[in-house]
Amino acid sequence: MNWNILGHQWAVDLLAQHAAHGGLRHAYLFTGPSGVGRRTLALRLAQAVNCLKPPIPGQPCGTCPACTRLEKMQHPDLAIIQAEQVGGTLKVDQVRDLQRSLSLAPYEARYRVALLLRFEEAHPSASNALLKTLEEPAPKVLLLLTAESVESLLPTIVSRCEVLRLRPLPLDEAADGLQHWGLPAAEARLLAHLSGGRPGYARRLHDQPELLEQRQSWLNELSALLGGSRVERFAYVQAAARAALDDRDALRTCLQVWSSFWRDVVLSASGSAAPLTNLDWSTPAQTLASHLGLEKAHAVLERTEQTLSLIDRNVHVRLALENLMLDLPRERL
C-alpha cells in the first residue's frame, strides 16, 4: 500500500492504519520543504476516509467520484485556504469563513476536510482563531495543515495536531521512483538532483517543461555575465530591475538557481563527495572551481545568497544587483 505516493512509506502506513481502524485524529500537520509531498499526502488521507469503493480499509480506490474530485481539489466537502500568493499572508477572515463552513454537516462525504496550505504564512490572529476549532472540533471534520516546519507555527497549534515530518528522499530513491512513473532514466536522475529529492517538485519540473527552459535561460545569462564587461553587466541589471517591478518572484527564483550553481562550484572546489544539483552544468562548475579555488567560489556563493536575502527584505533591487555584478569574477565558460 503506497497510495501512489513516491516515498514516505512510514507516513502512508501510519495514516492508512488511522483511516482503516478508527484511529483518525481530528487534525494533522504535514511539515517539510515545498515540493516534498505534504499536500499530496494530505489529499490521499482525505481520499482514504471518503472513498466510496475502497479495495481494502484505508486504501482509496482513486477512481470513484469522491477520489477523483478530491484529487482535483474540487469536492464540495473540501475547503482549501491559503495565502493568495507564496510569501503572502493567510488572513483571519479566511479562517473565520472556514469555521462557518465546518459547522455544517458534510454534503455527501463522510468527513468535511479543511486543507490549510502553507500555514506558516498565517497571520497571528488567523492562527489564534483556528485554535478554537482545534480545541473543540466538530464531528466529521478533518483538519489538514501543511507548513515548512513546526518551528514556524505557534506551539499551541502544533500541540493540537498529529505531526508528520516529511523529508526529501535520497536522490537514488527519488530517481528510481521517477522512472517507475515513466520518466527516462537520464531525466529522472537530473530531476531528482534539481529537486533535491523532493518528488512533488521533480514532478512539477517534468509536467511544466517551461520551468526547465527558464532555468536554462538563467544559467545561460549567468554564463554570459561572467564573460561580460561591466557595461554589459549593468545593462543586464537595469533590465532585471525593471522586470522585477512586475514580477519580483522571478528575480528571486533566478537568484536561487544561480546560488545552486555556485554551491556546485564550491562543492567541486572542495573535492566534496556531496551530490551536485545541476548535473547538466557540472562541467562549467568544475571549470570555474579549478580557476577560482574554494575561497573565491565560496565568496561568490555568499554574495549571491546575501543578494537574495536583500531582495527578500525589499532592499532597492537595482543597487543590490549592481553590487553583486561588481563581485562576480571575470571568467569565460
Side-chain angles (χ1 to χ4, degrees):
M1 183 183 298
N2 65 8
W3 286 4
N4 195 29
I5 287 177
L6 177 53
H8 313 309
Q9 189 61 52
W10 65 270
V12 171
D13 292 342
L14 174 68
L15 295 174
Q17 185 177 28
H18 286 187
H21 301 297
L24 198 66
R25 314 299 192 254
H26 70 279
Y28 292 85
L29 169 61
F30 303 88
T31 68
S34 175
V36 79
R38 303 171 306 187
R39 184 180 66 180
T40 299
L41 191 57
L43 287 172
R44 291 294 183 275
L45 176 58
Q47 290 174 317
V49 299
N50 285 319
C51 180
L52 301 177
K53 300 176 181 178
I56 58 174
Q59 175 71 35
C61 71
T63 58
C64 71
C67 284
T68 54
R69 284 187 290 173
L70 284 167
E71 179 74 21
K72 296 176 181 177
M73 296 190 292
Q74 296 174 351
H75 196 286
D77 288 312
L78 174 66
I80 303 170
I81 68 169
Q82 60 185 322
E84 291 184 0
Q85 60 185 15
V86 176
T89 302
L90 192 156
K91 301 174 182 177
V92 65
D93 288 344
Q94 294 174 269
V95 173
R96 288 173 178 158
D97 289 342
L98 173 68
Q99 289 169 325
R100 284 190 285 270
S101 70
L102 294 181
S103 66
L104 304 173
Y107 289 108
E108 58 184 64
R110 296 186 184 91
Y111 287 86
R112 271 190 175 273
V113 178
L115 183 58
L116 300 95
L117 300 173
R118 306 192 313 274
F119 202 70
E120 72 274 8
E121 297 174 352
H123 190 275
S125 60
S127 294
N128 286 321
L130 185 66
L131 279 176
K132 182 174 178 59
T133 302
L134 289 171
E135 291 169 347
E136 303 174 8
K140 300 301 180 180
V141 167
L142 181 61
L143 297 168
L144 306 175
L145 290 72
T146 73
E148 289 278 345
S149 66
V150 295
E151 290 77 18
S152 62
L153 304 182
L154 293 177
T156 46
I157 293 285
V158 176
S159 66
R160 288 161 175 79
C161 299
E162 176 91 5
V163 180
L164 290 91
R165 295 174 172 84
L166 306 183
R167 294 177 174 81
L169 307 183
L171 298 185
D172 289 344
E173 180 181 340
D176 289 344
L178 291 170
Q179 288 186 64
H180 288 311
W181 281 352
L183 275 66
E187 182 185 4
R189 182 166 177 264
L190 173 62
L191 295 187
H193 281 253
L194 290 179
S195 66
R198 294 172 292 162
Y201 183 40
R203 189 62 180 262
R204 187 158 67 247
L205 290 174
H206 172 72
D207 293 340
Q208 302 177 42
E210 65 273 13
L211 297 178
L212 289 176
E213 293 170 2
Q214 181 61 77
R215 164 188 165 271
Q216 186 70 31
S217 176
W218 282 327
L219 289 172
N220 286 335
E221 289 171 3
L222 176 60
S223 177
L225 289 168
L226 290 175
S229 65
R230 181 173 296 184
V231 171
E232 291 169 327
R233 292 181 178 188
F234 278 29
Y236 177 86
V237 167
Q238 184 176 10
R242 190 183 305 116
L245 294 174
D246 297 321
D247 191 357
R248 203 179 186 93
D249 284 343
L251 176 59
R252 292 183 68 261
T253 308
C254 171
L255 290 171
Q256 289 169 347
V257 169
W258 289 4
S259 180
S260 73
F261 174 74
W262 286 114
R263 175 185 175 275
D264 289 345
V265 177
V266 168
L267 290 176
S268 298
S270 68
S272 171
L276 302 184
T277 298
N278 303 279
L279 291 182
D280 50 343
W281 279 70
S282 59
T283 298
Q286 291 163 1
T287 299
L288 277 175
S290 65
H291 290 176
L292 299 178
L294 179 58
E295 184 176 350
K296 288 184 179 179
H298 193 270
V300 180
L301 171 60
E302 285 191 333
R303 196 73 179 91
T304 304
E305 292 181 339
Q306 181 185 34
T307 303
L308 178 58
S309 177
L310 291 172
I311 298 298
D312 285 339
R313 300 206 305 268
N314 291 319
V315 170
H316 193 279
V317 170
R318 182 167 179 173
L319 180 60
L321 290 177
E322 285 178 348
N323 286 333
L324 174 61
M325 292 300 127
L326 291 173
D327 287 338
L328 287 182
R330 292 291 302 277
E331 295 284 344
R332 292 195 177 274
L333 296 180

